[in-house]
Amino acid sequence: MSGFTVQNVSKIYDGDLPTTTLQNINLQVRDGEFLCILGPSGCGKSTLLELLAGLQAPTEGEILLDDVPVKGPTRQSGVVFQDASLYPWRNIAQNVGLGLEIGGMNKAERQELVHKYLNMVGLEGFGSKYPHHLSGGMRQRAGIARALVGSPKILLMDEPFGAVDHLTRLQLQQDLLRIWQEEQKTVVFVTHDVSEAVFLADRIVLLSPRPGRIHHIFEVREERPRKREDAGLLKIQNDIYSAIYDVKTEEDLEFTI
């Protein structure tokens, strides 16, 4: 297990009119927790995730992973984006095992690990299929398997279920929680869906509209497994909506109710 320390982080994009996307973010991501980052479109959620992944560098401040500064991508973090971005000319098993192949793992070991994680995400028997044979939800499962197969300590997920239908999304949430509990990894999950965040998270970080700042951190102490209709979860949802209205500006917050 592993965690991040985010210290006084800001991100400014240069240009004719410099844009401050994130401002003075201080956050501790605890070992083994499921942390959701919640906020309106344009508030810097995805930027913060990319900073954690080492895909971008902060303009100010520092991010530490196990007390070591993050200076670029690391094998300790696996990343899942909204689009699984599978290579259409490679079958699902080859897509999932690509990182292992590039890393020089021998074929037998690679196939064993790919088989394990395809089974874990519910894609047993689909390794020989190609991406166009699979539904959107199944392609996302393959993307999750690809992130997991390298045995990262941390799973970073950027609205991974945003492009699938509602029923598939609910099932993927359940499956992700099962995988998180089995693998005992730290998960940082970006979403703009309040109910999704409350169902999944141990803690929810609510960002304000741009420039993104931490407006509030909500603890979700309801026992697992959870039921979506639990009174405690509904109360937290209401508390989050109250906080959203507190920071509402002229911008459209675009939260999912």
Side-chain angles (χ1 to χ4, degrees), residues 1 37 52 67 79-80 84 89 92 95 102 109 126 128 135 151-152 177 180 205 215-216 221 227 238 241 243-244 246:
M1 295 188 292
I37 301 172
L52 295 176
D67 298 322
V79 185
V80 180
W89 60 87
I92 298 304
N95 268 285
I102 293 172
E109 290 179 308
F126 286 89
S128 62
S135 67
S151 298
L177 287 174
W180 167 64
V205 176
H215 175 65
H216 196 90
R221 296 190 175 92
K227 296 182 179 179
N238 290 334
Y241 285 122
I244 290 169
D246 286 344

Side-chain angles (χ1 to χ4, degrees), residues 84-106:
S85 299
L86 303 174
Y87 292 114
W89 60 87
R90 296 176 68 99
N91 66 30
I92 298 304
Q94 291 168 340
N95 268 285
V96 170
L98 178 59
L100 304 180
E101 183 180 339
I102 293 172
M105 181 178 288
N106 70 61

